Amino acid sequence: MKSIFLSFAGTLILFFTLIETQLFKEEKPTIYLIGDSTVRNGGDGNLQRGWGNFLQDFFDSTKAVVSNQAMAGRSTRTFIKEGRWVRVLETLKPGDYVFMQFGHNEGSEPDTTRSGYRGVLKGMGEDTKELIWPDGALETVHTYGWYLEKFIRDTKEKGATPIVVSMIPRNKFQDRDVERANQDYGKWAKDAARRHGVPFIDLNTLVADQYDLWGPEVVKGLFERDHTHTNEAGARINAWNVVEGIKGLEIPELKVLLIKDKPTLFLIGDSTVKNGQGDGAGGLWGWGDWIASYFDLDKIKVQNHALGGTSSRTFQTYGLWEKVREKIEPGDFVIMQFGHNDSSPLADTLRARGTIKSAGLEAETVFNPITNKQETVYSYGQYLRQMIWDTKAKGATPIVCSLIPRNQWEDGKVKRSDDSYALWAEEAANDTETAFIPLNTLIAVEYDSLGEDYVRAHFFNDKDHTHPILDGAKFNAKIVAKGIESLEKNDLKDYLK
């Protein structure tokens, strides 16, 4: 009987342990903020605000909670001394985050006077200063870096993620340049983060760069009563900069907690996607200039970053892809269509934009006469794969299109590229398990149905067999939209009208 009872009791303990574990796993992470009045401020009759007052506005409240534990007037030293840090640690759990921003109140000489109550020793070292208070209490004062490192270590020990933030700049200008903290508290904050391998947001620089751009006359309107404390407008701007800093961190599990702005569809490619400035110069257009009309723009943004004359290679070597890649966020989409310029020579003196004609792993080292440097050139398919991998690494969805057909005909049929660039685009997509729109074939079938005379008269001019005129570009955009609609298991089609 006793053994049966013990077995039953053990089963109950296991059951409740599993329930507790499941509840814990499903608990939302908490984002703790610790710091001074520039992080948390306000109250009756006080129009000063800290950036932490508004950070929750940027996070999905169903996924995360922001707990602003910052307190006006505190330094790293007094935040610990007054027991505020212990109270944070009592509720801190694995999966939480701690943002720490101090520096405004550390500057006084540490002593037992009122002004020295919150001062710390400067720098990152192990220097200490012993104080004896009037009541006989002993206190060891450390460096600013020492206190930050304690926050970092304690946070890690709790299984949470520490994120060090440099202090916001004051409204202090000299020769129209705002005073920065990159030689003292901002530098030491960065050093502390680097020493422990934890994320760092250089808020001081992010905000100071904006202040320099706006100038002192504009910036003074963001502060309330003094040069340190922002009003609501200034605090919201600083909170936005904190979020921009978060987006630059390699912490995808934190970024997904942010309120997602409507996703963006990025278009990349050559002039058949965007001709010139996309304004119809010379009567020529790319299909990317008209695809937005097929989407519900209240739910998705469409940005056309294609550039005429580029190949899959030069779109990357010119730095164009890197600029797009920096903008991509989880949930976005990238449609890529190259091929018209990839057939050029690998190393000619005009553009040196050609790629190896395949979807394989071939590579060839050439001297690029444009850059005057040696360059390893890869296959067309390999350049596509690189952009596909980059897109997926950002948590976005790539979609490959084969190139549109030119206005070239043979025996009453428009010429296809199904044994070259259209084939290699499909192979690159298949290799990477990426959605593919056989645009070359889809348009060619429609062209054949309409007939050579109609296509020549309505979709092209008599001087250019590659770039469509207005009606041709609109027609191609319609085919792209149909191609998107036909994709299986692809969320982009949910944004079509």
Side-chain angles (χ1 to χ4, degrees), residues 172-193:
K172 286 186 174 182
F173 280 83
Q174 185 173 4
D175 298 328
R176 297 192 65 82
D177 290 330
V178 76
E179 182 181 285
R180 299 179 183 236
N182 54 10
Q183 297 302 313
D184 45 42
Y185 294 101
K187 176 182 181 298
W188 300 328
K190 184 177 182 179
D191 289 344

Side-chain angles (χ1 to χ4, degrees), residues 339 343 356-360 380 402-403 405-406 408 410 414-427 436 438 440-441 444:
S343 61
I356 296 173
K357 295 177 173 61
S358 85
Y380 167 72
S402 53
L403 71 174
R406 290 183 167 91
Q408 294 177 325
E410 188 174 90
V414 72
K415 287 186 177 180
R416 291 158 167 77
S417 299
D418 48 15
D419 61 349
S420 57
Y421 292 99
L423 171 65
W424 302 327
E426 184 174 12
E427 289 177 346
F436 175 69
N440 189 266
T441 298

Side-chain angles (χ1 to χ4, degrees), residues 32 39 47 80 113 149 161 170 229 235 266 329 382-383 387 424 466 469 491 493:
Y32 289 93
V39 183
L47 298 180
I80 294 172
T113 67
E149 290 186 82
T161 300
R170 293 181 170 91
H229 301 98
F266 295 94
E329 296 183 0
Q382 187 65 359
Y383 285 108
M387 291 185 283
W424 302 327
T466 301
I469 57 177
D491 293 340
K493 62 184 177 183

